[in-house]
Amino acid sequence: MSDTNPISYVRETMLDQQEPPVTERGAIKWLRENLFSGWLNSLLTVASLGVIWFLIIEIGPWLMNTVWNAESLRQCREVLDGSSGACFAVIKDRWHQLLFGFYPREHYWRPVLALVLMLVALAPILFAELPRKMLFFSALFPFIGYHLLWGGSIWFPISILLGFVAGYVAFRLVVKVSSLVGVIAAVAGTLLWWVFLAGPFDAALYSVAPIGLEFVRSDSFGGFLISIVIGVSGISLSLPLGILLALGRQSDMIFVKSVCVVFIEFIRGVPLITLLFTASLLLNYFLPPGTSFDLILRVVIMVTLFAAAYMAEVIRGGLAALPKGQYEAADALGLDYWKAQRLIIMPQALKISIPGIVNTFIGLFKDTTLVVFIGLLDPIGLSNAIRADTDWNGIYWELFIFIGALFFIFCFSMSRYSMYLERKLKTDHR
Amino acid sequence: MSSTSDLRTQTAPPKTAFRFSMLLYDQRYRSVTIQIVFLFVLMLGIAWLVDNTISNLRALGKDFSFAFLSAPAGYDINQRPIEYNSQMTHGRAALVGLLNTAILAVMACALATVLGVIAGVLRLSNNWIVARLMTIYVELFRNIPTLVWIIIFGAIMTESMPAPSAFRGDTPSASMFLNDSVAITNRGVYIPAIQFATDLGTLPLGVVAPSINWLLVLVAIIGGIYANKAILKHATAVQNATGLRPKTWWKSLAVLFGPLVVLFVLFGAHLEYPELRGFNFADGVHLRNSLIAMWLGLGIYTGAFVAENVRSGILAISRGQTEAAFALGLQPGKTMRLVILPQALRVIIPPLISQYLNITKNTSLGLAVGYMDLRSTLGGITINQTGRELEGMLLMMLIYLAVSLGISGAMNVYNNRVKLKER
Amino acid sequence: MSDLAAPEIPVDRDIDISKMQVSDELAIQITGMNKWYGSFHVLRDINMSVYRGERIVVCGPSGSGKSTLIRCINRLEEHQAGQIIVDGTELTGDLKNIDKVRSEVGMVFQHFNLFPHLTILENCTLAPIWVRKVPKRQAEETAMHFLEKVKIPEQANKYPGQLSGGQQQRVAIARSLCMKPRIMLFDEPTSALDPEMIKEVLDTMIALAEEGMTMICVTHEMGFAQAVANRVIFMDQGQIVEQNEPKEFFSNPQSDRTKLFLSQILGH
Amino acid sequence: MSDLAAPEIPVDRDIDISKMQVSDELAIQITGMNKWYGSFHVLRDINMSVYRGERIVVCGPSGSGKSTLIRCINRLEEHQAGQIIVDGTELTGDLKNIDKVRSEVGMVFQHFNLFPHLTILENCTLAPIWVRKVPKRQAEETAMHFLEKVKIPEQANKYPGQLSGGQQQRVAIARSLCMKPRIMLFDEPTSALDPEMIKEVLDTMIALAEEGMTMICVTHEMGFAQAVANRVIFMDQGQIVEQNEPKEFFSNPQSDRTKLFLSQILGH
Amino acid sequence: QSMLETIQDRGELACGVSTGLAGFSAPDANGVWQGFDVAVCRAVAAAVLNDPMAVNFVSTTGQTRFSALASGEVDMLARNTTWTFSRDVDLGNTFAGVNYYDGQGFMVNRELGVSSAMELDGATVCIQTGTTTELNLADFFRVNGMSYEPVPIETNAEAQQQYLAGACDVYTTDASGLAATRASFPEPGNHAILPEIISKEPLGPAVRQGDEQWADIVRWVLNALIAAEELGVTSANIEELKAGTDNPEINRMLGSEGELGAMLGLDAEWAVRAIAAGGNYGEIFASTIGEQTPIGLARGLNAQWTQGGLLYAPPFR
Ligand SMILES: Nc1ncnc2c1ncn2[C@@H]1O[C@H](COP(=O)(O)OP(=O)(O)OP(=O)(O)O)[C@@H](O)[C@H]1O
Ligand SMILES: Nc1ncnc2c1ncn2[C@@H]1O[C@H](COP(=O)(O)OP(=O)(O)OP(=O)(O)O)[C@@H](O)[C@H]1O
Ligand SMILES: NC(=O)CC[C@H](N)C(=O)O
Ligand SMILES: [Mg+2]
Ligand SMILES: [Mg+2]
């Protein structure tokens, strides 16, 4: 250090942290920065406080003054005796209908067990930390779930399952000729089994060994049970279909591509409700006379097609975000198209598309409410039915609050999960 | 060692001979095979469906024809943007329905945009309470089906509003708002209508006959917008030349509203107030419950999605842009107008338009509250009265499809226009 | 030890630092300035004067508050105690003063922050037209002048996305210069650039320095510091720990922290 | 002129090129090959034979068709006229042949193209397991063997994103080697790397060359060419303009184009 | 394959009913469908499937019912559906007869002080969409030079809510439907059904056109129910009568004489089962909508022809 040089300077002692001045500290600062920085902000604060106050004043007493025990709205009113109050007794009286529809009461354990098993089956898909072996159960769950919910012959789901085995055998047999022929054989094998052999197989085994839970008809399904059944099947079926459509749309085979484009654009261009009407009113025009199949199944098919078109667009975005080098590297290593898709392309493309996929799922789940228009008794349909009952004629808000709250819980947790996943994938592999 | 100096060019690749086994094993021809198989299966499937349909129709003794569109409809429609009565044709009824769909869609888009922009911006505000409140709004509406909201708004309208009879009598239990000009009843909201003392009649244009007064008003509005554009352009020219931008707001106001005021005065425009007469309010404009419920349900629900788009659009513009603008000395207002908005709009508008598309498709939920849209007229009563479900559904789907493709086509044009230039 | 900085020197012409003028007028004066983020004390008792025409390099470990310091100078951040006087104007909450200071002080950021929706030329003319109220023609002429200075006039009608990083940073410099600022602040202008591009940008900055622009530059390009700086300021933990002439600073650091820091950045 | 290439030589050991074996069997034979992109004639009448164990460097100006040429050799691009015979198998549309050739020919890309969702080890074992149907254990052993060879066994369980560019490129090489190819193609393997990393990768390639691998390498690293190549091929406008031994090629280019090209790349 | 075979294979009759109209078709507290229309379905199911409970009730709205029938969603409609020319001829339905002769009426709140439909100018009218009543209403108001504001509604339950909430002044539908709806009001006495009946509404079961055998079965099951009342066959005495009586028509109907059942493709006891399922027409009427029930409808036009009504079953011969 030289004193001759005026600009030279060395600090001898380091300064310690100091407390900020009062204006920078604690509640005052928080208030100043968060609520009252500038007149506009203060105005907004006052306005929002007003809104909150209004809501509390309007809804608070009504909610606080809830009647839980009553058999009809009239009784509720008697209990309330003129004062304003909610009548959640209707939920207590009818919750089982809102949740299960007309599913036989003594069998409620079945949908509940199915739901629990579904969560177990979902766990390894949702959380990568869990052992991969659990995926085996996930693959079996659709059949278990089906049997739990509908019951009937246990051989039926098993014979459907065998269809996949048949497809696999067919594939093995001819794959040597060419993988293309193999795929065609697999599809044909599965379909042939389903169409021609599954029925007799089921009937034969059932006559020998009539095992199975009691059969429950589709029209006893209702309430959230139906929303979840349609939602979950739609979600799990639309993902693979969406992937195929996205691949078709990306394909350089002109016919395949244009068929996919037309399909996707058509489905996305018309309201879901018109498709549901088609499923319920027009489908039989397109099928041979006398065929009729379950309305829930038809709705699931339509909802799946609908969601698949949206899914395809989401996944296409993911595919487009992948660098071309990934395809080339897979080619150069000798992987064929499907292996490259399965091992290299899809794992990455799907990861990129997760937010979009989950959004499509949430949309699909919310859209299950539209089935009320074709006469299925989803929660909204049941709320109409409950209100049509003389006991509960005139009740509104309690039912809507209950239905809304349940939907909110489902959808909100899905969107939180997608945020969790996004965050996790962002840090993974980096 | 070799070296070539002549650079030969051929212009077209030669063709190679084709062998039959190539169909399966050759990279180039295999795709042809796949497509032929695919197409064959597809054709077979379609043929099967068509064949079934034909034989099913024959069994029912029905044909496939759109002649029903010119048969008298027989039913009434409560909301009629164009002249309609029950003696007119099903085609006309479908047109009325389509217009009702359009009215609802436009109203809901406007509401969703306004709410979405406000909520999206406020959600980013550093005002803690407001931000929380907006978060609650967005999450609450995004996570509950729109149909539930529509029904709730429908219920609010019918259950919580006073019947017109409550406005009657010496001591009415309900009263009108805004100086007796707006009545909110359980049959809808009645607001004042604008009437012209000098009515210039209508302009017969085939299917529709718009009022000449309103056409002139429309012309005045469009003219005003063009004039305003010219004023702004002139202001820019002046600014370019001198550096100083002339104040234009009063000129803009004048050209935007001046002609309107003149026209209104010329035509003797006055407000026609709703008035309780007989069973109902008469005069004024009647916004029916169904319209209000659909409008609020769709508008507020979609507004929550728009809010998210707006928020992410603004967040997509990095803080660096604002800082750079500030560092250059641009004031916050100009920073917003010249730097942030032009960039944010590019991000916001495409998802905004797909929300508009969703709204348009969701208008078909009008069924839930009895709104007479395209689905209720053509896709509902007409199908039911004529038994033409195949034709009716097909026509309805095609109309929705055309509208959707139109909207998304416009979106693509916009996207291409504003795409950022990159390396 | 003085040759340590050698491999970093990007300069390809002879610079006579003595020819660059420093007047004795004050451009910036900071006294007893303190700043907190919440309860975190980022800047502690900063005292510093910058003379017109002086070129100051600020260095220090990451998180030491360098960026915060220069961002306080054009009020991108607010300080809570002490005084900052820029070009005779004190920075307080007064919006007029802030506008005045900002239009006198140019700033170049690490990540360029060009406006991607405007062409290069529009980027450069935006502020002069809307802040300085310069007629468009004239603004464009000025802009082309500075674009020539940073050697990319031919890119004027391209968009930022079409330029390389080095070119973008030069545009950012030109954009600031178009406001004819009396003081330029640089916040690690080269640290987001590839090695070849660093040179382009440093050359531009050196040219500026030669013209006598008052500059404060946060950088770790020690070659640049040695070549053009009048003074190097070393910061740590929100404080100015040492300042000196570049030569002295590099060859003979006084404080232990400075020594440690220099050994780290020059070491590899 | 031969010393021009000196600064680029990355070799840190003595290579005795004469010890590397070249057999007289043909590994690749290309005759009268032509390729078009649409109506643009990218490759014009290419004739070329590569012997087993030969190491060929391909160079030429940008856009001259180097990448396209080597991508044709494992059918990442399709040629429209002429013949390519790799290891006795002619490349036509026949998928069986294509699969066969691809599993004999390894390729390393400029941008590595590692699979980011798989660990290094999984990257290396994927193709052996799914294409060669090797049991997983054995595939992992092979993979570790080659990872050791490229000197990064310790990274086996990391993800590509966690590695530096040079490390990634070495993984890419190991990944190709795991398929035990008889021929390796390199498309500018070092041009996306920082200078320090180039050396790591070139060392790995030299080690490969010493083991007698047949290699075709598109590169502008003339040091590498001089050190290990048996032949340098110079391409321009889709044609092979000149080919020669490296020494002759660099010291005594024949064609004007070659001279121009060499002066450009060695010039700065 | 004929409809009959299809249904017998399936083991279940798909019957389209309303979404809920007390007395006509509505599920009871246990979810079992009950009512006047439902009884027709049960009788048909009993005749063809030998099990009155083997019915899958599909609720249809006014709008969806014909589509449901035409598309094969349901095998028959028993849904207070009016037999009209266009529905029969153009829409491709076949009506199997009339089980209730009705007409369209109006219901208003007594507070309005309206005593005639002619005083309804300017009223807001709740109306179920997709019904004949919607069309009649349009005609009625137009012909009488009055205006009205229609509020289109999907189901009876919703209409009831809207009406009770005062969202419309008037509810109009078949008079029987009005009575059924009013019966479920908290205070039925506050509401008046206006005297004007503005249309003829012969309500009856319908099937899809194209399978005559199936149409005949439904038609003759209905006729059997009506004839049984006329002939004094009831659910109480049918076991006894089916062994044979001295009335040859009863014998032919109940299968102890002749081959009527076989001609329909059914067995001999088809009508016995149909009648045993819920009784004859009179019994069904009395137990579902008759004067002893909350609905409280008088037989009126729906009395046997012998009693001065319109019910007149063709002979079983
Ligand atoms: N907005 C902020 N809120 C809270 N803390 C902040 C904020 N900005 C910066 N800091 C903290 O202030 C300290 C100084 O930050 P500053 O950016 O000035 O450091 P720097 O010296 O420029 O570092 P670098 O070399 O990494 O740019 C850091 O510890 C940083 O974490
Ligand atoms: N898919 C394609 N479609 C059309 N033209 C192409 C395509 N790929 C490459 N080309 C053109 O073919 C020519 C040769 O390209 P190629 O990539 O083989 O050149 P290169 O010698 O590898 O150049 P570089 O050194 O830049 O990698 C170039 O002019 C390029 O523009
Ligand atoms: N209200 C109804 O559902 C039926 C009304 C009327 N009988 C019809 O057939 O259209
Ligand atoms: Mg910094
Ligand atoms: Mg290349």
Side-chain angles (χ1 to χ4, degrees), chain E residues 65 79-82 87 128 131-133 173-174 201 203:
Chain E
R65 56 184 154 175
R79 193 206 173 280
N80 48 359
T81 294
T82 306
R87 285 176 178 180
Q128 286 186 59
T131 62
T132 49
T133 54
T173 186
D174 300 335
E201 305 282 338
L203 311 180

Coordinates of all heavy atoms in Angstrom, one line a residue, chain E residues 65 79-82 87 128 131-133 173-174 201 203, ligand 3:
Chain E
R65 N -86.5 -39.4 -27.0 CA -87.2 -40.6 -27.0 C -87.3 -41.3 -28.4 O -87.0 -42.5 -28.5 CB -88.7 -40.5 -26.5 CG -89.4 -39.4 -27.3 CD -90.8 -39.2 -26.6 NE -91.2 -37.8 -26.9 CZ -92.4 -37.4 -26.6 NH1 -93.3 -38.1 -26.0 NH2 -92.7 -36.1 -26.9
R79 N -94.3 -44.0 -22.9 CA -93.8 -42.7 -22.3 C -94.8 -41.6 -22.7 O -94.5 -40.8 -23.5 CB -92.4 -42.4 -22.9 CG -91.7 -41.3 -22.2 CD -90.7 -40.6 -23.0 NE -90.2 -39.4 -22.3 CZ -90.9 -38.3 -22.2 NH1 -92.1 -38.2 -22.8 NH2 -90.4 -37.3 -21.6
N80 N -95.9 -41.6 -22.1 CA -97.0 -40.7 -22.4 C -96.7 -39.9 -23.7 O -96.5 -38.7 -23.8 CB -97.3 -39.7 -21.3 CG -96.0 -39.1 -20.7 OD1 -94.9 -39.4 -21.1 ND2 -96.2 -38.2 -19.8
T81 N -96.7 -40.7 -24.8 CA -96.3 -40.2 -26.1 C -97.6 -40.1 -27.0 O -98.3 -41.1 -27.1 CB -95.3 -41.1 -26.8 OG1 -94.1 -41.1 -26.0 CG2 -95.0 -40.7 -28.2
T82 N -97.8 -39.0 -27.6 CA -99.0 -38.7 -28.4 C -98.8 -39.4 -29.7 O -97.8 -39.2 -30.4 CB -99.2 -37.2 -28.5 OG1 -99.2 -36.6 -27.2 CG2 -100.5 -37.0 -29.2
R87 N -95.5 -38.6 -36.5 CA -94.7 -39.5 -35.7 C -94.9 -41.0 -36.2 O -94.0 -41.8 -36.2 CB -95.1 -39.4 -34.2 CG -94.6 -38.2 -33.6 CD -95.1 -38.1 -32.1 NE -94.5 -36.9 -31.5 CZ -94.8 -36.6 -30.2 NH1 -95.6 -37.3 -29.5 NH2 -94.3 -35.5 -29.7
Q128 N -92.1 -28.4 -22.2 CA -91.1 -29.4 -22.4 C -90.7 -29.4 -23.9 O -91.6 -29.5 -24.7 CB -91.5 -30.8 -22.0 CG -91.5 -30.9 -20.5 CD -91.9 -32.3 -20.1 OE1 -91.2 -33.3 -20.5 NE2 -92.9 -32.5 -19.3
T131 N -91.9 -31.9 -27.7 CA -93.3 -32.5 -27.5 C -94.3 -32.0 -28.4 O -94.0 -30.9 -29.0 CB -93.7 -32.3 -26.0 OG1 -93.9 -30.9 -25.9 CG2 -92.8 -32.8 -25.0
T132 N -95.4 -32.6 -28.5 CA -96.5 -32.1 -29.3 C -97.0 -30.8 -28.6 O -97.5 -29.9 -29.3 CB -97.7 -33.1 -29.4 OG1 -97.9 -33.5 -28.1 CG2 -97.4 -34.2 -30.3
T133 N -96.9 -30.8 -27.3 CA -97.4 -29.6 -26.6 C -96.7 -28.3 -27.0 O -97.3 -27.3 -27.0 CB -97.3 -29.8 -25.1 OG1 -96.0 -30.1 -24.7 CG2 -98.2 -31.0 -24.6
T173 N -98.7 -28.9 -20.3 CA -98.4 -30.2 -20.9 C -99.7 -31.0 -20.9 O -100.8 -30.4 -20.7 CB -97.3 -30.9 -20.1 OG1 -96.9 -32.1 -20.7 CG2 -97.7 -31.2 -18.7
D174 N -99.6 -32.3 -21.1 CA -100.8 -33.1 -21.1 C -101.5 -32.9 -19.8 O -100.9 -32.8 -18.7 CB -100.5 -34.6 -21.3 CG -99.8 -34.8 -22.6 OD1 -100.0 -34.0 -23.5 OD2 -99.1 -35.8 -22.6
E201 N -104.7 -35.5 -27.2 CA -103.4 -36.2 -27.0 C -103.6 -37.7 -26.7 O -103.6 -38.1 -25.5 CB -102.7 -35.5 -25.8 CG -102.4 -34.1 -25.9 CD -101.3 -33.7 -26.8 OE1 -100.4 -34.5 -27.1 OE2 -101.3 -32.5 -27.3
L203 N -102.4 -40.9 -25.9 CA -101.1 -41.4 -25.5 C -101.0 -42.9 -25.6 O -102.0 -43.6 -25.2 CB -100.8 -41.0 -24.1 CG -101.0 -39.6 -23.7 CD1 -100.7 -39.3 -22.2 CD2 -100.2 -38.6 -24.6
Ligands
LIG3 N1 -94.8 -34.1 -21.7 C1 -94.4 -35.1 -22.4 O1 -93.3 -35.6 -22.1 C2 -95.2 -35.7 -23.5 C3 -96.0 -34.6 -24.1 C4 -96.9 -35.1 -25.3 N2 -97.8 -36.1 -24.9 C5 -95.9 -35.6 -26.4 O2 -96.0 -36.7 -26.8 O3 -95.2 -34.9 -27.0

